Structures are given as C-alpha cells and as structure tokens.
Amino acid sequence: MDELMDSYSQTKLKEQAEDRTNDAIKRAEFAENAHENGLGEHWELIEKHTVLEGSLRDHIDRLISLSSATWQKDNAVLSRALTTGGLGQLLGSQGELLADEDRATRGHVEKLRAMELEAYSLRKMLKEAGVKVDAAQINGCSQDVGPLRKDLAMRDAEL
C-alpha cells in the first residue's frame, strides 16, 4: 500500500514538473516573439529616420537654391529673411524628429530589457524544473530497489 502511495506521489510530482516545464517553455516563446516584434519596430523607426534625413537634405538643397536665386536678384534683405526663417524652421523640425526618435527608441530599449530579464527568468525556471524532474526520477529508482533487496536477502537466506 505504501509503495502504491509512493508511486502515485512520484507520478504526481513528475506530472507537475512537466506542467511547469511546459508553462515555462510557452512563456519563453512568448517573450522571444515579443522581443522580435520590438526589434522589428526599432528597425522601422531607423528606416523612417533615414527617410526623414533624406527629406531634410532635399529641403536644405531647395533652400540653398532659393537663397542663391535671391542673391542673383540682388535682394539681400529678402535673402536673409528666407535663409534665417527656413533654416530655423528646418532645424526646429530636425530637433523635433530627433526628440521623437529618442523617445521611441528609449521605450523600445526598456521593453527589450524587460523581455531579456523575463527570458532569463524563464530559462532559469526551466532549468530548475529539469533538475526537479531528474531528482524525482532518481528518487523513484532508489525506492524501487528497496523491495528487490529484501527479496534478494530472503532468497539468500533460503540458500
């Protein structure tokens, strides 16, 4: 009867350890997917930044063209007003873009760190669950040997 209870307990422990292992694997996969999504969003922001930089260069080139045409018409006052206002506007826009990118990147970096910590935690839990399963299997084997030793001792005594 005790052997039956011990066997039942060992089976339950193994099932619980396997359930925990499966849960840890699912959480690790979810964290990995979230991490990959975060990286994708980060690369999209970098691409947008590159496009905006190109657009900024185009605006500067147009501004320089306008500025030089104005100088050719010998209207220095108008030229200074266009150049000063346009450059100020462009610099302000660039500053806003950089600030937006910094905010977005900072949020992604924080998310990535959190996901890395979660992945580390899940790997640790998975490793611990494996150790518990191994220990349960070893305990189960050592308990199975006890009755065999008694049987061997009785047969030895009969001889």
Side-chain angles (χ1 to χ4, degrees), residues 122-156:
L122 292 172
R123 284 187 197 104
K124 185 177 175 184
M125 289 172 57
L126 182 61
K127 186 176 181 180
E128 290 172 355
V131 168
K132 288 179 182 178
V133 167
D134 289 345
Q137 289 175 347
I138 290 171
N139 285 340
C141 290
S142 66
Q143 290 177 356
D144 292 342
V145 172
L148 292 175
R149 285 188 180 162
K150 286 181 185 176
D151 187 41
L152 180 63
M154 289 186 343
R155 290 186 183 193
D156 217 17

Side-chain angles (χ1 to χ4, degrees), residues 5-21 128-140 143:
M5 290 300 282
D6 287 344
S7 175
Y8 176 76
S9 295
Q10 290 297 319
T11 302
K12 276 297 184 189
L13 282 174
K14 287 178 187 176
E15 288 174 0
Q16 289 174 353
E18 288 174 0
D19 288 344
R20 287 186 189 126
T21 301
E128 290 172 355
V131 168
K132 288 179 182 178
V133 167
D134 289 345
Q137 289 175 347
I138 290 171
N139 285 340
Q143 290 177 356

Side-chain angles (χ1 to χ4, degrees), residues 51-70:
V51 169
L52 290 173
E53 275 184 321
S55 177
L56 179 61
R57 276 190 226 106
D58 291 344
H59 287 295
I60 290 172
D61 289 344
R62 274 190 262 145
L63 181 61
I64 290 170
S65 296
L66 288 173
S67 186
S68 101
T70 304

